Amino acid sequence: MRIEKFYYSESIAACEARKKEMWEKLRSEINMPQGMSEEEEKEWEWKAVKDMVSKIMPSTEVYTMLDPRKYDLFFVLAQVSVRLAQALTANLLVYTEDMTGWIIFVGTSIYCEDRDKDIFSRLVSAANGMHISASVDTGKGSPTDVDNAVQATFWFDLCTAMTETSL
C-alpha cells in the first residue's frame, strides 16, 4: 500500500493563485496607471497599501518595555536548560539580543526521558516560538555547526507592547 498526499504543494499553489487574485484586485482598486516600470509599480503598491492600512487602523503610539516576569522566566528556563542539555548530550546556546531571548539545543538526537520531558514541555509552553530543524553547516565552527545534528530553537519575547491608553 502506498499513500501520497501533497498538501504542502496544493496549499502553495492555492496561496499563489490567491495572492495573484488579491494583487489584481488591489491594482484595479487603486487605479494604477498602465506602463509603469516594475520599480515604480512596487512603489505605487506600497504607497496604496500604507494608505489602506492607515484608514483601517488608527495610529497610536506603542511603547515597548521589558517585562520583568518574562525576563525572570527566561533566565530560570535557561538555567534549567543546562541540565537538560547535559542529559541530552547536546550543545546549548543561550543568548539575548535587544528584547528577545533564544535557547538553542544542538545534538545528534533530542530524546527526553520522563524527568526531562517536563523541562522540555515547559520550554515549549513558555516559548513564543519553537523551531526544530537539521543543524545548518555554516562553516564558522560555531557550536551549532555540527554535521548530522538536529537543532531545537526556542524563541522568547521578553518585552510587552503598551499603547498610550494602557499606560
Side-chain angles (χ1 to χ4, degrees):
M1 182 169 121
R2 183 176 175 155
I3 298 174
E4 291 183 355
K5 299 288 184 181
F6 300 102
Y7 297 116
Y8 174 77
S9 300
E10 291 170 6
S11 69
I12 292 296
C15 182
E16 289 297 320
R18 179 73 176 130
K19 186 166 62 169
K20 185 177 180 182
E21 179 185 311
M22 287 174 56
W23 278 117
E24 291 303 319
K25 184 179 177 186
L26 176 67
R27 285 187 174 118
S28 67
E29 286 178 6
I30 62 174
N31 301 320
M32 183 182 292
Q34 297 295 324
M36 297 174 79
S37 70
E38 193 173 319
E39 182 94 11
E40 290 171 326
E41 243 182 58
K42 286 181 183 177
E43 195 171 311
W44 185 274
E45 289 170 351
W46 177 245
K47 183 181 178 293
V49 169
K50 281 178 32 181
D51 290 346
M52 290 172 78
V53 168
S54 67
K55 289 176 188 172
I56 296 169
M57 299 174 65
S59 63
T60 57
E61 286 289 324
V62 177
Y63 301 95
T64 305
M65 305 173 75
L66 189 64
D67 188 334
R69 290 173 296 158
K70 291 180 181 180
Y71 191 76
D72 290 343
L73 176 62
F74 173 75
F75 278 96
V76 167
L77 290 171
Q79 292 170 354
V80 172
S81 294
V82 172
R83 191 178 75 71
L84 181 59
Q86 187 177 18
L88 296 172
T89 60
N91 290 346
L92 173 67
L93 286 88
V94 177
Y95 62 96
T96 59
E97 185 175 304
D98 294 327
M99 294 189 195
T100 305
W102 289 271
I103 297 175
I104 303 171
F105 296 93
V106 180
T108 54
S109 70
I110 303 222
Y111 172 78
C112 296
E113 301 215 0
D114 286 338
R115 65 180 183 178
D116 301 324
K117 283 193 296 189
D118 184 44
I119 297 169
F120 201 78
S121 69
R122 284 184 191 172
L123 281 167
V124 170
S125 63
N128 293 88
M130 178 186 158
H131 182 76
I132 297 177
S133 65
S135 182
V136 178
D137 186 2
T138 61
K140 297 180 181 173
S142 76
T144 61
D145 195 12
V146 179
D147 293 334
N148 302 319
V150 65
Q151 178 173 325
T153 303
F154 299 91
W155 167 75
F156 298 85
D157 184 12
L158 304 176
C159 62
T160 300
M162 302 179 86
T163 60
E164 288 179 9
T165 57
S166 64
L167 290 176

